[in-house]
Amino acid sequence: MAEGCFDPLLAAHAAQLQKMKSSRPLAVVIREPDAPLLDARARAELVAALAVVDFVVIGGDTRGALLREDREALMSTIRRKHGR
């Protein structure tokens, strides 16, 4: 799982996400910066368009943190989507 603002999405972000990808699905949490250039939905769509990304979630707070239970539920959803 990766987290970031991606405001704007840079080639360096794409490279870092590629490095994070393993045999497991890659989920990305979009955090909210203090003064965003793009709204969260636009940033989520840009990140989701990267072939290496399997799932994108827009974080609900400024830290973009997910509770442990939420993280487990997210990973379960991803596993079902990918038949794992």
Side-chain angles (χ1 to χ4, degrees), residues 33-61:
D34 290 333
L37 298 173
L38 298 172
D39 66 28
R41 170 114 187 179
R43 290 179 282 123
E45 289 177 2
L46 288 170
V47 171
L50 297 173
V52 69
V53 175
D54 297 295
F55 198 85
V56 176
V57 175
I58 298 173
D61 62 27

